[in-house]
């Protein structure tokens, strides 16, 4: 099994810094996409919720219409009974039959009144539900339009950055294979500790390029010699001199 070539400290620092610069570019590409992937996902969830609400409202209207249809059938049945009872009234033989038929007519008329009242109240409820459903539909269509726009925008940005992202990921993978596991672990751990993802930073204006705390002259001299890996005593980031990539490793 082939072993990794033993690198000098300067070569290790160069590789770590090159990896950092590549990761910085990948982060910039991610920023370019912004919150679009999250926004697309959120809109899809909202659309699903609105569609469920719209369907529920449609079912409510259907149930209310069935309720009205039942009461209309009751009215037809009661009307038919009234006609039959009135016909029978013409042939009654005594007051008892007359009173009984009259009460049946009155009961059926009350049934018709009750059904008409329930139909009226249900029609008002249907109107209210339909208004809410219309509002839901307006929101639903707007969300669908927003989603389509976000998807087009995300697709455009993805297509523009995909080639560059693949190239950077390939370079990153190649570098990672040559960096010893101990340093790579420390690099990734430090990157994960900071929102900006900076684990290797140059000394700029006598200060750490990550936390901007002052770096003593003696420490800067040691950093410039590239003989050992030095971390910022304040933030723990690995420090390099800004010209490290401009010279060839010895």
């Amino acid at each position: 099994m082939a072993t990794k070539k033993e690198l000098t400290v300067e070569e290790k620092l160069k590789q770590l810094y090159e990896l950092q610069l590549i990761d910085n570019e990948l982060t910039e590409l991610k920023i370019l996409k912004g919150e679009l992937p999250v926004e697309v996902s959120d809109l899809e969830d909202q659309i699903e919720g609105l569609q469920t609400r719209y369907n529920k409202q449609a079912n409510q209207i259907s149930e209310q219409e069935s309720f009205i249809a039942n009461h209309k059938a009751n009215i037809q049945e009661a009307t038919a009974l009234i006609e039959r009872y009135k016909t029978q009234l013409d042939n009654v033989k005594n007051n008892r039959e007359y009173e009984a038929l009259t009460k049946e007519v009155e009961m059926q008329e009350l049934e018709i009144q009750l059904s008409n009242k329930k139909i009226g109240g249900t029609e008002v409820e249907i109107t209210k539900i339909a208004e809410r459903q219309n509002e839901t539909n307006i929101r639903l269509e707007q969300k669908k339009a927003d989603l389509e726009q976000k998807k087009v925008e995300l697709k455009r940005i993805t297509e523009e950055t995909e080639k560059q992202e693949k190239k950077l990921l390939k370079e990153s993978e190649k570098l990672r294979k040559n960096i010893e596991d101990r340093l790579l672990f420390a690099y990734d751990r430090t990157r994960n500790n900071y929102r900006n993802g900076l684990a290797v930073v140059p000394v700029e204006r006598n200060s750490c390029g990550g936390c901007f705390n002052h770096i003593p002259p003696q420490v800067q001299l040691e950093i410039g010699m590239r003989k050992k890996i030095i971390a910022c005593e304040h933030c723990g980031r690995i420090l390099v001199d800004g010209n490290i990539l401009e010279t060839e490793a010895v």
Side-chain angles (χ1 to χ4, degrees):
M1 180 178 177
T3 58
K4 292 181 180 178
K5 175 187 173 182
E6 184 63 31
L7 302 177
T8 65
V9 171
E10 182 174 356
E11 288 172 330
K12 292 177 181 178
L13 288 169
K14 280 186 176 183
Q15 288 185 341
L16 285 170
Y17 192 42
E18 286 175 355
L19 180 60
Q20 179 68 76
L21 294 177
I22 289 172
D23 284 336
N24 288 349
E25 289 189 63
L26 287 168
T27 298
E28 288 176 4
L29 291 179
K30 185 177 180 181
I31 292 172
L32 183 61
K33 291 181 183 179
E35 296 296 322
L36 279 175
V38 176
E39 290 176 7
V40 166
S41 179
D42 286 345
L43 281 169
E44 288 174 339
D45 290 341
Q46 291 175 38
I47 286 171
E48 184 178 353
L50 287 169
Q51 188 66 61
T52 299
R53 184 186 303 175
Y54 182 90
N55 293 340
K56 183 178 179 181
Q57 290 164 337
N59 289 335
Q60 289 174 339
I61 290 175
S62 179
E63 290 172 0
Q64 299 288 3
E65 288 175 341
S66 295
F67 183 78
I68 288 176
N70 289 335
H71 276 285
K72 285 184 176 180
N74 289 341
I75 290 173
Q76 289 180 344
E77 183 179 347
T79 302
L81 287 173
I82 289 172
E83 292 298 322
R84 191 172 76 185
Y85 293 146
K86 284 184 176 180
T87 300
Q88 292 177 359
L89 280 171
D90 294 333
N91 300 313
V92 294
K93 297 179 180 179
N94 52 58
N95 289 336
R96 182 183 297 175
E97 289 183 12
Y98 182 86
E99 290 176 358
L101 288 171
T102 301
K103 285 183 180 180
E104 287 294 339
V105 169
E106 291 175 351
M107 286 181 62
Q108 295 306 319
E109 287 175 343
L110 288 174
E111 282 290 331
I112 291 173
Q113 291 178 15
L114 181 60
S115 289
N116 280 326
K117 183 177 181 181
K118 289 184 177 180
I119 288 172
T122 304
E123 286 176 340
V124 171
E125 184 61 26
I126 288 176
T127 300
K128 292 179 180 178
I129 296 173
E131 288 174 354
R132 293 197 297 268
Q133 188 185 40
N134 183 58
E135 292 172 359
T136 300
N137 188 56
I138 291 173
R139 290 184 61 193
L140 181 59
E141 293 304 316
Q142 182 60 56
K143 293 295 181 182
K144 286 181 178 179
D146 291 344
L147 176 61
E148 187 61 30
Q149 181 181 349
K150 294 292 183 183
K151 280 186 173 180
V152 169
E153 189 176 350
L154 180 59
K155 185 174 183 291
R156 176 183 61 79
I157 293 175
T158 300
E159 288 175 349
E160 290 175 355
T161 61
E162 187 175 18
K163 186 176 180 181
Q164 185 180 2
E165 187 174 13
K166 285 182 177 179
K167 177 175 177 291
L168 290 170
L169 287 171
K170 188 174 180 180
E171 292 176 0
S172 173
E173 184 180 357
K174 183 179 178 181
L175 272 172
R176 283 177 169 271
K177 287 180 179 179
N178 294 323
I179 298 173
E180 60 185 84
D181 294 339
R182 176 181 61 86
L183 289 176
L184 198 57
F185 176 80
Y187 171 81
D188 288 332
R189 182 181 61 188
T190 305
R191 266 179 57 81
N192 291 332
N193 286 339
Y194 295 103
R195 291 183 62 184
N196 60 13
L198 294 179
V200 183
V201 295
V203 176
E204 300 173 338
R205 297 180 181 179
N206 303 320
S207 300
C208 169
C211 66
F212 309 111
N213 278 292
H214 178 71
I215 305 299
Q218 180 60 37
V219 177
Q220 291 186 51
L221 182 61
E222 292 178 358
I223 293 170
M225 293 175 66
R226 306 169 191 169
K227 297 298 182 182
K228 61 180 180 179
I229 296 176
I230 299 174
C232 174
E233 64 177 1
H234 300 285
C235 66
R237 293 179 173 95
I238 296 173
L239 298 170
V240 296
D241 66 277
N243 300 320
I244 190 169
L245 298 182
E246 296 178 7
T247 59
E248 291 296 328
V250 178

